[in-house]
């Protein structure tokens, strides 16, 4: 299969040493000033950045195969034949060139995925990394990234999907909502670095439904409404790096049971969709890593 070689580079008006210090923080979660979170999934490793560290971002998995602090990080893909690397090259006392090179000899299926969309997403992410380098190292107030329609569509399709979990025991507002609960469930997503940690920021998870806030604690808000046929509560808990949307229902009379028998079929789909939509909206509205780093400086 024909090899893929993809190269991006940018001249940055900052010393190579300053950029290298930032590069050494790649994969440190909230302390990573370069990878464009929360708009894109973060880089995570199973240990501090060093040769042998395993990790990746989203479904792309790789291992650190070479590391020259402040100069170069190379990653070998753990599935397939290939690698990619970041490199910082000094150009003078106050400037440097940052490069990202990817080389791979993919399978036919992987090559097709690359041509159909991964190439576009990869290019957008690398250029946004370069934007963050300029923001953090050179102090340039660059405008937010402008993503093409195809990149926005691919981002939407690849966005994290909620998983079903038990209603957390720490979601006390939800557990104490009713003396008797006839139904409960919960859906959960991991927070990306830079996403809001305050539960109030997630108050719009139910869209424009206008459910009032019935209670709040440091990590949880409770929305809901009572009706003749059933009482409904939605709990939004933000804790331990995750956001959880929980639902508890109390049913009244036969009419309520018949109504909820229908609603229950659609509820999981709607709950997942609302949480995912809110997660994406808040992530795209949040400052990128380079903006957060520049604000701390």
């Amino acid at each position: 299969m024909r090899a893929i070689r993809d190269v991006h580079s940018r001249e940055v008006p900052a010393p190579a040493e300053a950029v290298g210090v930032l590069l050494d923080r790649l994969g440190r979660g909230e302390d990573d000033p370069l990878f464009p979170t929360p708009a894109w999934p973060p880089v995570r490793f199973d240990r501090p950045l060093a040769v042998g560290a395993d990790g990746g971002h989203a479904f792309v998995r790789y291992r650190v195969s070479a590391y020259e602090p402040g100069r170069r990080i190379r990653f070998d893909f753990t599935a397939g034949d290939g690698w990619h690397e970041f490199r910082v090259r000094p150009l003078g006392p106050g400037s440097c060139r940052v490069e990202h090179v990817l080389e791979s000899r993919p399978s036919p299926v992987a090559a097709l995925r690359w041509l159909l969309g991964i190439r576009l997403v990869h290019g957008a992410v690398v250029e946004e990394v370069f934007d963050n380098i300029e923001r953090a190292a050179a102090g340039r107030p660059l405008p937010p990234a402008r993503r093409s329609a195809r990149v926005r569509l691919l981002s939407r399709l690849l966005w994290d999907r909620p998983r079903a979990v038990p209603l957390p025991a720490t979601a006390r507002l939800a557990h104490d909502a009713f003396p008797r609960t006839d139904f409960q469930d919960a859906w959960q997503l991991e927070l990306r670095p830079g996403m809001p940690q305050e539960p109030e920021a997630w108050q719009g998870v139910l869209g424009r439904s206008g459910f009032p806030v019935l209670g709040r604690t440091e990590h949880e808000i409770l929305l809901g409404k009572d009706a003749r046929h059933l009482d409904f509560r939605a709990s939004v808990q933000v804790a331990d790096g995750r956001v959880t949307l929980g639902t508890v229902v109390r049913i009244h009379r036969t009419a309520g049971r018949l109504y909820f028998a229908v609603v229950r079929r659609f509820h999981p789909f709607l709950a997942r969709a609302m949480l995912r939509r809110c997660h994406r909206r808040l992530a795209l509205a949040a400052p990128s890593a380079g903006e957060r780093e520049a604000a701390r400086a």
Side-chain angles (χ1 to χ4, degrees), residues 49-68:
L49 185 61
V51 173
D54 280 306
H57 59 280
F59 57 85
V60 185
R61 315 312 297 167
Y62 39 78
R63 178 179 298 109
V64 179
S65 57
Y67 179 40
E68 301 171 29

Side-chain angles (χ1 to χ4, degrees), residues 82-159:
W83 54 271
H84 70 108
E85 75 173 28
F86 284 102
R87 183 185 290 270
V88 182
R89 300 183 186 274
L91 298 177
S95 66
C96 64
R97 182 176 300 280
V98 183
E99 301 173 349
H100 182 273
V101 180
L102 178 149
E103 288 195 3
S104 176
R105 191 173 295 276
S107 68
V109 173
L112 183 61
R113 287 201 300 263
W114 171 263
L115 292 173
L116 291 178
I118 301 303
R119 175 177 57 86
L120 291 175
V121 172
H122 167 77
V125 171
V126 171
E127 291 299 322
E128 290 180 38
V129 169
F130 289 172
D131 287 349
N132 283 335
I133 289 174
E134 288 203 56
R135 292 184 180 108
R140 285 190 169 182
L142 300 179
R146 298 186 64 179
R147 305 177 184 101
S148 70
R150 287 184 64 187
V151 168
R152 293 196 302 272
L153 174 61
L154 290 166
S155 169
R156 184 186 298 273
L157 293 174
L158 296 171
W159 202 267

Side-chain angles (χ1 to χ4, degrees), residues 216-275:
R216 67 181 73 230
T217 65
E218 182 181 0
H219 299 293
E220 182 187 9
I221 60 171
L222 191 71
L223 311 170
K225 198 170 184 179
D226 295 342
R228 289 196 308 169
H229 55 294
L230 61 77
D231 302 332
F232 161 84
R233 300 290 184 269
S235 160
V236 183
Q237 186 190 52
V238 184
D240 301 322
R242 299 175 179 87
V243 56
T244 306
L245 173 62
T247 302
V248 291
V249 174
R250 179 173 58 179
I251 298 172
H252 304 307
R253 297 182 292 275
T254 302
R257 287 192 293 273
L258 293 174
Y259 172 80
F260 193 68
V262 176
V263 171
R264 186 169 182 169
R265 294 178 177 272
F266 302 97
H267 168 75
F269 169 79
L270 293 173
R272 292 195 304 268
M274 289 187 293
L275 180 59

Side-chain angles (χ1 to χ4, degrees), residues 157-173:
L157 293 174
L158 296 171
W159 202 267
D160 307 343
R161 298 182 183 278
R163 62 187 183 93
V165 296
L167 185 66
T170 52
R172 296 312 316 165
L173 293 178

Side-chain angles (χ1 to χ4, degrees), residues 196-224:
Q197 305 281 331
E198 306 79 17
E200 288 79 10
W202 298 81
Q203 186 171 327
V205 68
L206 300 184
R208 299 179 181 179
S209 53
F211 288 107
V213 176
L214 303 179
R216 67 181 73 230
T217 65
E218 182 181 0
H219 299 293
E220 182 187 9
I221 60 171
L222 191 71
L223 311 170

